[in-house]
């Protein structure tokens, strides 16, 4: 992972004084997770560049760290993106390599400390979480940076694999050295979801110290504090309180409480499930399929309604079915309840006799997990062969993603193969209705925003007997 800082200030060789790094020396720094190297790939009066190259040892990192991230798969500790991306390790390296400059000191040319210099920064790989490009711009542009981003492919040998979630980033600004370093120190880990160290109260101090003079006025200060502190609510709240100097403490406190209460009140998933249950109850159905049932949240709610005499949950993932079994206390539940539920493993892209003869099928946030070229099989399996009287089907509305600061190409979940606009969804659903003799109606799920719609969308198909 490489960070390069270039200046064209004259004489550009002042960069050596400013950063307290001799242009003729190649310096190696030992970090707990590997090594950092500081060197000058170019040095001249017109233009000078200093580079900080981070060499992370992923196995050493595992040994040394309390909290190494990379959860999710067994080899994740060893095989992860840490060696290649600009993460909080880069901040650690910046603070180590350029501590004097970060503290606003310059022994030999003190007059340079407050001088705004033309800088160009190059970061070879930055991870882009949800919101990717939009988020990067939102973080740097308000601070006066010109942002130039290039999305990196997954593998240059296989262009058909498409884009990765990484960018290379060029930034330009005229700014003091201390400002530049503190921006990089705070904003680089803000882009990284996978923090490597234990987040503690000390992190608030670092955030406030390095953010001094600019974070308070940044329009994204909430998002920066939150992401920097890895969405730890209480720490985030404390940081915001301190950023507000107490003037706005009450307002923030109120907003904060309101946010937490809202969050408690209902998540989007809960809203969706409630709405689906409502439609199922209204339909008068007794025998229900929950296709792609996942961990059984919908089934759990369906069981509370006596009207449903038979509930069959199907999922392709055995793991999800195990979770569902646990959620429904399958083993202990009363034998009467047990008779009403069955969990089966199967794929929605293969014709399956077990799915025939039901009143209703719920397909909640599932189709976007199917490859587009398998969707045709799914349509036939459900609407031609299983042929329930009614189908309640939901999927994300891609138009709403901007409300979460996501870019146009970003998907909400790494397993999503696509996300549709309202038009794409209704075109698809209308064509199906016509082909398989259903009537279809559309509904919005969650808060509705003008010309954007709601976060999730529902199609309700009724068979025309
Ligand atoms: N309906 C659930 C889960 C949605 S997540 C809810 O609303 O909470 C999507 C689910 O679809 C996952 O559990 C996934 O395992 C399942 N799935 C993906 N492809 C499938 C397929 N071909 N056949 C059956 N289930 C599938």
């Amino acid at each position: 992972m490489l960070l390069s800082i270039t200046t064209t200030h004259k004489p550009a060789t002042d960069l050596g004084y400013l950063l307290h790094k001799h242009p003729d020396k190649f310096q190696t720094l030992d970090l707990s997770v590997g090594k950092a190297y500081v060197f000058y790939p170019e040095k001249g009066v017109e233009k000078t560049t200093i580079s900080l190259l981070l060499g992370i040892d992923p196995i050493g990192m595992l040994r040394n760290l309390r909290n190494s991230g990379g959860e999710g798969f067994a080899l994740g500790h060893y095989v992860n993106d840490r060696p290649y991306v600009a993460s909080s390790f880069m901040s650690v390296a910046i603070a180590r390599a350029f501590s004097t400059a970060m503290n606003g000191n310059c022994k030999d040319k003190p007059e340079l400390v407050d001088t705004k210099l033309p800088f160009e920064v190059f970061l070879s790989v930055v991870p882009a979480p949800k919101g990717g490009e939009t988020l990067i711009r939102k973080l740097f542009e308000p601070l006066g940076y010109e942002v130039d981003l290039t999305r990196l492919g997954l593998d240059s040998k296989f262009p058909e694999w498409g884009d990765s979630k990484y960018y290379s980033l060029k930034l330009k600004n005229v700014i003091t050295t201390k400002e530049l370093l503190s921006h990089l120190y705070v904003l680089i880990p803000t882009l990284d979801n996978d923090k490597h160290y234990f987040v503690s109260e000390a992190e608030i101090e670092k955030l406030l110290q390095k953010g001094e003079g600019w974070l308070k006025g940044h329009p994204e200060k909430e998002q920066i504090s939150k992401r920097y502190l890895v969405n730890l609510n209480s720490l985030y709240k404390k940081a915001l309180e301190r950023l507000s100097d107490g003037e706005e403490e009450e307002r923030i406190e109120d907003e904060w409480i309101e946010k937490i209460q809202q969050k408690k009140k209902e998540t989007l998933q809960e809203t969706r499930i409630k709405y689906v249950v409502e439609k199922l109850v209204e339909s008068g159905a007794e025998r229900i399929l929950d296709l792609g049932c996942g961990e059984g949240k919908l089934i759990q709610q369906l069981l509370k309604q006596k009207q449903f005499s038979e509930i069959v949950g199907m999922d392709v993932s055995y793991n999800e079915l195990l979770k569902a079994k646990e959620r429904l206390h399958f083993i202990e539940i009363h034998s009467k309840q047990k008779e009403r539920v069955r969990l089966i493993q199967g794929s929605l892209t293969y014709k399956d006799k077990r799915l025939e003869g039901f009143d209703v099928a719920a397909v909640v946030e599932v189709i976007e997990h199917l490859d587009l070229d398998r969707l045709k099989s799914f349509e036939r399996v459900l609407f031609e062969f299983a042929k329930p009287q009614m189908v309640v089907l939901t999927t994300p509305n891609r138009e709403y993603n901007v409300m979460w600061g996501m870019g146009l190409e970003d998907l909400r979940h790494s397993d999503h193969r696509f996300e549709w606009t309202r038009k794409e969804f209704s075109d698809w659903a209308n064509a199906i209705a016509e082909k398989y003799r259903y009537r279809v109606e559309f509904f919005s799920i969650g808060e509705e925003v003008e010309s954007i719609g709601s976060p999730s969308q529902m199609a309700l198909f009724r068979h025309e007997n």
Side-chain angles (χ1 to χ4, degrees):
M1 167 55 217
L2 183 70
L3 162 73
S4 294
I5 301 175
T6 301
T7 187
T8 46
H9 155 81
K10 309 247 167 18
T13 40
D14 275 352
L15 196 62
Y17 293 106
L18 270 165
L19 297 176
H20 282 245
K21 289 285 167 280
H22 197 290
D24 294 328
K25 275 195 193 146
F26 182 97
Q27 205 183 346
T28 305
L29 305 168
D30 282 315
L31 305 175
S32 63
V33 293
K35 286 188 190 312
Y37 309 95
V38 182
F39 55 95
Y40 288 79
E42 66 181 319
K43 50 191 175 199
V45 179
E46 300 293 319
K47 194 175 180 191
T48 293
T49 298
I50 189 167
S51 288
L52 177 62
L53 178 70
L54 204 53
I56 288 178
D57 163 15
I59 296 175
M61 174 179 97
L62 179 64
R63 269 191 230 115
N64 281 321
L65 295 169
R66 279 178 281 179
N67 180 7
S68 64
E71 283 168 14
F73 75 113
L75 283 173
H77 285 308
Y78 297 97
V79 186
N80 56 51
D81 65 4
R82 301 297 86 191
Y84 315 108
V85 305
S87 62
S88 40
F89 296 129
M90 185 47 99
S91 297
V92 174
I94 291 173
R96 274 288 301 285
F98 308 128
S99 59
T100 316
M102 283 198 91
N103 290 327
N105 297 319
C106 181
K107 202 168 68 204
D108 296 318
K109 297 201 171 189
E111 71 281 7
L112 286 177
V113 168
D114 292 323
T115 312
K116 291 185 188 297
L117 308 175
F119 281 116
E120 275 182 49
V121 174
F122 175 69
L123 281 157
S124 57
V125 189
V126 291
K130 276 184 183 166
E133 176 161 355
T134 320
L135 178 65
I136 295 174
R137 290 189 184 282
K138 270 180 163 175
L139 296 183
F140 286 100
E141 284 176 350
L143 297 167
Y145 289 89
E146 224 176 88
V147 176
D148 181 6
L149 280 163
T150 310
R151 186 135 182 196
L152 303 172
L154 267 179
D155 190 322
S156 54
K157 284 200 197 108
F158 302 98
E160 68 275 16
W161 288 2
D163 288 333
S164 70
K165 59 168 185 170
Y166 302 101
Y167 289 88
S168 77
L169 174 62
K170 277 189 200 152
L171 300 166
K172 262 193 197 173
N173 207 354
V174 181
I175 196 171
T176 68
T177 315
K178 183 182 170 182
E179 283 168 336
L180 175 74
L181 295 174
S182 68
H183 294 162
L184 295 174
Y185 179 92
V186 171
L187 298 180
I188 289 174
T190 300
L191 287 170
D192 186 13
N193 279 341
D194 231 355
K195 289 265 285 197
H196 69 283
Y197 48 75
F198 189 70
V199 180
S200 64
E201 293 255 343
E203 288 305 309
I204 297 184
E205 294 308 322
K206 285 189 202 159
L207 175 68
L208 296 176
Q209 193 205 351
K210 302 292 192 292
E212 202 188 330
W214 61 272
L215 185 54
K216 224 166 115 177
H218 196 298
E220 295 299 322
K221 71 175 175 201
E222 295 196 12
Q223 174 143 231
I224 294 170
S225 312
K226 200 164 170 181
R227 297 191 63 93
Y228 182 92
L229 298 171
V230 209
N231 305 333
L232 279 191
N233 288 345
S234 62
L235 289 184
Y236 156 66
K237 182 185 151 204
K238 275 188 198 162
L240 268 189
E241 271 172 15
R242 292 187 48 190
L243 275 174
S244 74
D245 266 353
E247 336 144 6
E248 283 183 295
E249 231 164 76
E250 234 168 76
R251 184 184 67 79
I252 286 177
E253 183 87 2
D254 288 349
E255 274 180 16
W256 181 257
I257 289 170
E258 202 180 311
K259 264 187 203 156
I260 292 186
Q261 279 173 345
Q262 266 174 7
K263 221 175 173 178
K264 271 201 189 139
K265 248 198 255 160
E266 224 173 59
T267 64
L268 175 60
Q269 194 187 34
E270 285 164 354
T271 311
R272 185 165 44 227
I273 287 179
K274 245 184 164 165
Y275 202 35
V276 171
V277 173
E278 213 177 286
K279 295 288 177 201
L280 297 177
V281 170
E282 266 172 32
S283 74
E286 291 173 11
R287 304 183 61 222
I288 296 200
L289 281 172
D290 181 8
L291 302 176
C293 63
E295 54 190 83
K297 286 192 174 148
L298 175 62
I299 299 178
Q300 192 176 23
Q301 297 308 317
L302 294 177
L303 271 171
K304 295 182 185 163
Q305 309 288 334
K306 291 217 172 65
Q307 155 188 354
F308 306 131
S309 57
E310 185 178 350
I311 304 162
V312 173
M314 177 168 123
D315 205 284
V316 75
S317 156
Y318 188 66
N319 224 5
E320 290 300 300
L321 291 172
L322 282 181
K323 283 192 222 161
K325 210 166 164 180
E326 203 162 294
R327 171 179 297 278
L328 303 169
H329 309 293
F330 223 59
I331 318 293
E332 308 104 82
I333 62 180
H334 197 267
S335 65
K336 260 213 177 123
Q337 292 279 49
K338 214 165 157 179
E339 278 166 22
R340 294 167 67 205
V341 200
R342 250 180 317 132
L343 295 174
I344 58 175
Q345 191 179 17
S347 171
L348 286 168
T349 51
Y350 294 94
K351 185 176 164 185
D352 193 330
K353 275 218 161 313
R354 297 173 297 176
L355 306 183
E356 289 172 17
F358 284 81
D359 300 327
V360 184
V363 195
V364 179
E365 307 290 289
V366 175
I367 56 167
E368 63 277 7
H369 292 264
L370 306 176
D371 286 325
L372 268 173
D373 60 359
R374 305 295 291 146
L375 214 51
K376 272 268 166 310
S377 317
F378 160 76
E379 289 164 27
R380 296 194 65 200
V381 168
L382 179 58
F383 294 94
E384 184 179 335
F385 301 115
K387 223 161 83 180
Q389 286 301 308
M390 186 170 120
V391 174
V392 178
L393 188 146
T394 78
T395 193
N397 164 22
R398 193 177 84 206
E399 292 161 272
Y400 195 88
N401 293 355
V402 293
M403 298 296 293
W404 292 318
M406 294 167 59
L408 283 179
E409 299 306 316
D410 297 315
L411 298 176
R412 295 181 196 178
H413 191 282
S414 54
D415 190 49
H416 284 180
R417 312 301 155 93
F418 62 88
E419 279 165 11
W420 277 336
T421 61
R422 287 167 296 170
K423 166 92 169 49
E424 285 166 326
F425 183 48
S426 62
D427 284 353
W428 175 79
N430 281 321
I432 286 187
E434 198 180 316
K435 188 163 176 195
Y436 301 103
R437 300 190 36 242
Y438 281 80
R439 263 179 300 118
V440 61
E441 268 184 281
F442 298 93
F443 301 92
S444 306
I445 304 174
E447 172 211 34
E448 189 144 12
V449 178
E450 205 187 328
S451 75
I452 283 179
S454 53
S456 188
Q457 44 188 342
M458 176 191 284
L460 204 153
F461 301 84
R462 286 194 181 84
H463 198 264
E464 292 175 328
N465 287 309

CSV table of all heavy atoms in Angstrom, one decimal, residues 269 290 292-294 315-317 320 346-349 364-366 369-370, ligand 1:
chain,number,residue,atom,x,y,z
A,269,GLN,N,-36.5,-4.2,8.0
A,269,GLN,CA,-36.9,-5.6,7.9
A,269,GLN,C,-38.2,-5.9,8.7
A,269,GLN,O,-39.0,-6.6,8.2
A,269,GLN,CB,-35.7,-6.5,8.4
A,269,GLN,CG,-35.9,-7.9,8.0
A,269,GLN,CD,-34.9,-8.8,8.6
A,269,GLN,OE1,-34.5,-8.6,9.7
A,269,GLN,NE2,-34.5,-9.8,7.8
A,290,ASP,N,-43.0,-20.0,2.4
A,290,ASP,CA,-42.1,-18.9,2.6
A,290,ASP,C,-40.8,-19.3,1.8
A,290,ASP,O,-40.0,-20.1,2.3
A,290,ASP,CB,-41.8,-18.6,4.1
A,290,ASP,CG,-40.8,-17.4,4.2
A,290,ASP,OD1,-40.5,-16.8,3.2
A,290,ASP,OD2,-40.4,-17.2,5.4
A,292,GLY,N,-37.2,-19.0,0.2
A,292,GLY,CA,-36.0,-18.2,0.6
A,292,GLY,C,-36.2,-17.7,2.0
A,292,GLY,O,-36.1,-16.5,2.2
A,293,CYS,N,-36.6,-18.6,2.9
A,293,CYS,CA,-37.1,-18.1,4.2
A,293,CYS,C,-36.0,-17.6,5.1
A,293,CYS,O,-36.2,-17.0,6.1
A,293,CYS,CB,-37.8,-19.3,4.9
A,293,CYS,SG,-36.7,-20.7,5.2
A,294,GLY,N,-34.7,-17.9,4.7
A,294,GLY,CA,-33.6,-17.4,5.5
A,294,GLY,C,-33.7,-17.9,6.9
A,294,GLY,O,-34.0,-19.1,7.1
A,315,ASP,N,-35.4,-23.0,1.8
A,315,ASP,CA,-34.2,-22.2,1.5
A,315,ASP,C,-33.1,-23.1,0.9
A,315,ASP,O,-33.1,-24.3,1.2
A,315,ASP,CB,-33.6,-21.5,2.8
A,315,ASP,CG,-32.8,-20.2,2.4
A,315,ASP,OD1,-31.7,-20.4,2.0
A,315,ASP,OD2,-33.3,-19.1,2.7
A,316,VAL,N,-32.2,-22.5,0.1
A,316,VAL,CA,-31.2,-23.3,-0.5
A,316,VAL,C,-30.0,-23.5,0.5
A,316,VAL,O,-29.3,-24.5,0.4
A,316,VAL,CB,-30.7,-22.5,-1.8
A,316,VAL,CG1,-29.8,-21.4,-1.4
A,316,VAL,CG2,-30.0,-23.5,-2.7
A,317,SER,N,-30.0,-22.6,1.5
A,317,SER,CA,-28.9,-22.7,2.4
A,317,SER,C,-29.2,-23.5,3.7
A,317,SER,O,-30.1,-23.1,4.4
A,317,SER,CB,-28.4,-21.3,2.8
A,317,SER,OG,-27.8,-21.3,4.0
A,320,GLU,N,-28.8,-21.4,6.8
A,320,GLU,CA,-29.9,-20.5,7.1
A,320,GLU,C,-31.0,-21.3,7.8
A,320,GLU,O,-31.7,-20.9,8.7
A,320,GLU,CB,-30.4,-19.8,5.9
A,320,GLU,CG,-29.5,-18.8,5.3
A,320,GLU,CD,-29.2,-17.7,6.3
A,320,GLU,OE1,-30.1,-17.0,6.7
A,320,GLU,OE2,-28.0,-17.5,6.6
A,346,GLY,N,-34.1,-26.6,-0.6
A,346,GLY,CA,-34.3,-26.7,-2.1
A,346,GLY,C,-34.0,-25.4,-2.7
A,346,GLY,O,-33.8,-24.4,-2.1
A,347,SER,N,-33.8,-25.5,-4.1
A,347,SER,CA,-33.5,-24.3,-4.8
A,347,SER,C,-34.7,-23.9,-5.6
A,347,SER,O,-35.4,-24.7,-6.3
A,347,SER,CB,-32.3,-24.5,-5.7
A,347,SER,OG,-32.2,-23.4,-6.6
A,348,LEU,N,-34.9,-22.6,-5.6
A,348,LEU,CA,-36.1,-22.0,-6.4
A,348,LEU,C,-35.9,-22.0,-7.9
A,348,LEU,O,-36.8,-21.5,-8.6
A,348,LEU,CB,-36.3,-20.6,-5.9
A,348,LEU,CG,-36.9,-20.4,-4.5
A,348,LEU,CD1,-36.8,-19.0,-4.0
A,348,LEU,CD2,-38.3,-20.9,-4.6
A,349,THR,N,-34.8,-22.5,-8.3
A,349,THR,CA,-34.6,-22.5,-9.8
A,349,THR,C,-34.8,-23.9,-10.3
A,349,THR,O,-34.5,-24.2,-11.5
A,349,THR,CB,-33.2,-22.0,-10.1
A,349,THR,OG1,-32.2,-22.7,-9.3
A,349,THR,CG2,-33.0,-20.5,-9.8
A,364,VAL,N,-39.7,-13.0,0.0
A,364,VAL,CA,-39.3,-11.7,0.6
A,364,VAL,C,-37.8,-11.5,0.4
A,364,VAL,O,-37.0,-12.2,1.1
A,364,VAL,CB,-39.8,-11.7,2.1
A,364,VAL,CG1,-39.4,-10.4,2.7
A,364,VAL,CG2,-41.3,-11.9,2.1
A,365,GLU,N,-37.4,-10.5,-0.3
A,365,GLU,CA,-36.0,-10.1,-0.6
A,365,GLU,C,-35.2,-11.3,-1.0
A,365,GLU,O,-34.1,-11.6,-0.4
A,365,GLU,CB,-35.5,-9.4,0.7
A,365,GLU,CG,-36.3,-8.3,1.2
A,365,GLU,CD,-36.3,-7.0,0.4
A,365,GLU,OE1,-35.3,-6.3,0.3
A,365,GLU,OE2,-37.4,-6.8,-0.2
A,366,VAL,N,-35.7,-12.0,-2.0
A,366,VAL,CA,-34.9,-13.2,-2.4
A,366,VAL,C,-34.5,-13.1,-3.9
A,366,VAL,O,-33.4,-13.4,-4.2
A,366,VAL,CB,-35.8,-14.5,-2.3
A,366,VAL,CG1,-35.2,-15.7,-2.9
A,366,VAL,CG2,-36.1,-14.7,-0.8
A,369,HIS,N,-31.1,-12.2,-5.1
A,369,HIS,CA,-30.0,-13.1,-4.8
A,369,HIS,C,-29.8,-14.1,-5.9
A,369,HIS,O,-28.9,-14.9,-5.9
A,369,HIS,CB,-30.2,-13.8,-3.5
A,369,HIS,CG,-30.2,-12.9,-2.3
A,369,HIS,ND1,-29.0,-12.8,-1.5
A,369,HIS,CD2,-31.1,-12.2,-1.7
A,369,HIS,CE1,-29.3,-11.9,-0.5
A,369,HIS,NE2,-30.6,-11.6,-0.6
A,370,LEU,N,-30.7,-14.1,-6.9
A,370,LEU,CA,-30.6,-15.0,-8.0
A,370,LEU,C,-29.9,-14.4,-9.2
A,370,LEU,O,-30.1,-13.2,-9.5
A,370,LEU,CB,-32.0,-15.5,-8.4
A,370,LEU,CG,-32.9,-16.0,-7.4
A,370,LEU,CD1,-34.3,-16.3,-8.0
A,370,LEU,CD2,-32.4,-17.3,-6.8
B,1,LIG,N1,-36.8,-14.0,3.2
B,1,LIG,C1,-35.7,-13.8,4.2
B,1,LIG,C2,-34.3,-14.0,3.7
B,1,LIG,C3,-33.9,-13.0,2.6
B,1,LIG,S1,-32.2,-13.3,2.2
B,1,LIG,C4,-35.9,-12.5,4.9
B,1,LIG,O1,-36.7,-11.6,4.4
B,1,LIG,O2,-35.3,-12.3,6.0
B,1,LIG,C5,-32.3,-14.3,0.8
B,1,LIG,C6,-32.4,-15.7,1.0
B,1,LIG,O3,-32.6,-16.4,-0.2
B,1,LIG,C7,-31.2,-16.4,1.7
B,1,LIG,O4,-31.6,-17.0,2.8
B,1,LIG,C8,-30.7,-17.3,0.6
B,1,LIG,O5,-30.1,-18.5,1.1
B,1,LIG,C9,-31.9,-17.6,-0.2
B,1,LIG,N2,-31.7,-18.1,-1.5
B,1,LIG,C10,-30.8,-17.6,-2.4
B,1,LIG,N3,-30.9,-18.3,-3.6
B,1,LIG,C11,-31.8,-19.2,-3.4
B,1,LIG,C12,-32.4,-20.2,-4.2
B,1,LIG,N4,-31.9,-20.4,-5.5
B,1,LIG,N5,-33.3,-21.0,-3.8
B,1,LIG,C13,-33.8,-20.9,-2.5
B,1,LIG,N6,-33.4,-19.9,-1.7
B,1,LIG,C14,-32.4,-19.1,-2.1
